[in-house]
Amino acid sequence: MSDLPRKAAILGAGVIGSGWLARLIDSGVACSVFDPAPNAEAKIAPVLDNAERAAAALIDAPRPAKGAWSLVGSIAEAVAGADLIVEAVPERLDVKHATYREIEAANTDGIIASSTSGFRPSVLQEGMARPERLIVAHPFNPVYLLPLVEIVGGAATDKAVIDRAMALYTELGMKPLHLKVEIDAFVADRLMEALWREALWLVKDGVATTQEIDDAIRYGCGLRWAQMGTFQTFHIAGGEAGMRHFMEQFGPALAWPWTKLMDVPEMTPELVDRIAEQSVTQADGRTPRDLEKIRDDNLVAILKALRGTGWGAGQVLADHEARLRGK
Amino acid sequence: MSDLPRKAAILGAGVIGSGWLARLIDSGVACSVFDPAPNAEAKIAPVLDNAERAAAALIDAPRPAKGAWSLVGSIAEAVAGADLIVEAVPERLDVKHATYREIEAANTDGIIASSTSGFRPSVLQEGMARPERLIVAHPFNPVYLLPLVEIVGGAATDKAVIDRAMALYTELGMKPLHLKVEIDAFVADRLMEALWREALWLVKDGVATTQEIDDAIRYGCGLRWAQMGTFQTFHIAGGEAGMRHFMEQFGPALAWPWTKLMDVPEMTPELVDRIAEQSVTQADGRTPRDLEKIRDDNLVAILKALRGTGWGAGQVLADHEARLRGK
């Protein structure tokens, strides 16, 4: 018996909403999409093209027939009969609350899954008639390739909705990570933000360029993070004694005045210009669209490589393929 | 004409010194190793075994005959006639300065390359008779697999020594990153420390376990970092307008009270216990030695995958193989 939704509604067709659409139709789920922008179709098409290209290269198993999808004219029309409602509207609380009001007027029992990267579900649930069906399901770009989705319930969320969501996203080929404690920005974005902030300081202080910082990551620690994260990596670095020994050695370093703890770098026009210009220089003539294809090719290759070792994201892929073969 | 050293001295046979030994003998360089510990041989052997296992699986080109190496009884004996002196002694400034005094008494012209992860080369150079030949060459564990090495000169460093080092580490199959500005801990460790510190807060506050944090990295952002770093990833996320548009959207988020800016978590016995215990639980019965092999298998697979796409660390590998084939 399938844990997939019979019909999904996707509200907001930006890079995240379009990425969700790609994931869902690739698993054969029918979708209705609403986006007020006149160019919604033009935003969706390249994402679906990239996703199909990636899935064809990645998935070594029979893929189901694509789910039918269409752009519709209103939230009410999109959510009618949907048992999964993906909210991917702009990150403004007033916009999200208004969206939920429209959803509740037209759909009484579908799971409402917000793609927010910052708002706690309990805050999103304020003022809802049936808040128990709202969760945060926070994905990562590109949604059609990265397995991680952070699942967070709010104070009013029904435990059964969390269980249903865990099964649903697993069947979509993802790695749902259920966070038991609600905090703003959840876990992954806090880690990314801490690294990003330090990187901004290094550029602002003229210590390194964006290219040098990206190289310091992708030729070194990034290769470790991709397969084990940070704690198990340091657990190994501690030798036989593991993490305890590592912390004895490394722990004190945290008390040294190394990283910028004091505040956040001010995004002055000069800093924005510097980072924007260095990022373009670094791209070496490639457009963001060119880089998007390179990124996807690299991610496909890494996911296949980890499937070969049966580890982490590769195991998620192998499990997904096994399910597809079993159907 | 080869840029490799004729003979290398390695001072300190911990995980870093042993990793340097593996890299150097795998390129055919003769090495003398000094370590005051009685069990130096026992520390070196498993690293060389892991490195050979990894190189055999990774390098698709004829590899040179292994360089001869031996453990010797003193710093003077190790550095005699060496044109590269790898300093990998404990991270204590007094120990490093004492080591340089012994080096200078026995060797007048070899490049002295410190593996320090924190001290600025200008600080290391204090009190040296010939400081112009000292650089920092900061590698990353496992040294025999990760290409990155941060090259940093001090106030007294001869520019020609930097140029020589860049060529030398490139021929070792590495990606030397020349940092033009001296700061404590350089670039990569600052980024790792910023992420590590935030991760410690998440564990301390009971928001997530070490396993959940590692999963948030390895199933998501870690896969992006491994191949493009952070700036190019966000440059893509900005769409056609690239990084400038991304910063307009995301920049303000830095002003929100998300990550822990105020201070460093105190490494209380309770926090150390919690992290050590969670790290063992997460290892699921695997010893650090077991995880080390899994890590290496994953890194080999990822490096081969990126060789296939001709990107980043994979290009470094392809270039290295081309040099080996050309010999």
Side-chain angles (χ1 to χ4, degrees), chain A residues 141 147-148 190 193 197 200 214 219 224 227 230-232 244 258-259 261 273 279 282 298 309 311, chain B residues 141 147-148 190 193 197 214 219 224 227 230-232 244 254 258-259 261 273 279 298 309 311:
Chain A
N141 187 41
L148 182 66
R190 286 197 173 218
E193 183 186 315
R197 188 178 55 244
L200 292 179
D214 280 353
Y219 293 109
R224 296 191 306 211
Q227 36 94 41
T230 188
F231 285 101
Q232 286 286 278
R244 190 174 296 277
W258 281 356
T259 51
L261 294 164
D273 286 347
S279 296
Q282 177 181 357
N298 289 340
T309 61
W311 189 257
Chain B
N141 186 43
L148 182 66
R190 288 202 172 213
E193 183 187 316
R197 188 178 53 247
D214 280 351
Y219 293 107
R224 296 191 307 210
Q227 37 93 38
T230 187
F231 285 101
Q232 285 287 276
R244 190 174 297 277
L254 277 171
W258 281 356
T259 52
L261 293 163
D273 286 346
S279 296
N298 290 340
T309 62
W311 189 257

Side-chain angles (χ1 to χ4, degrees), chain B residues 104-127:
Chain B
E104 291 199 296
N107 178 302
T108 57
D109 56 8
I111 292 178
I112 302 172
S114 175
S115 303
T116 182
S117 59
F119 294 114
R120 285 180 291 109
S122 292
V123 172
L124 298 176
Q125 287 171 328
E126 288 166 7

Side-chain angles (χ1 to χ4, degrees), chain A residues 250-278:
Chain A
F250 190 89
L254 278 172
W256 303 358
W258 281 356
T259 51
K260 294 279 191 176
L261 294 164
M262 296 72 70
D263 58 7
V264 168
E266 193 193 346
M267 277 291 190
T268 61
E270 294 69 26
L271 180 56
V272 169
D273 286 347
R274 179 184 296 185
I275 292 170
E277 284 155 19
Q278 290 184 355

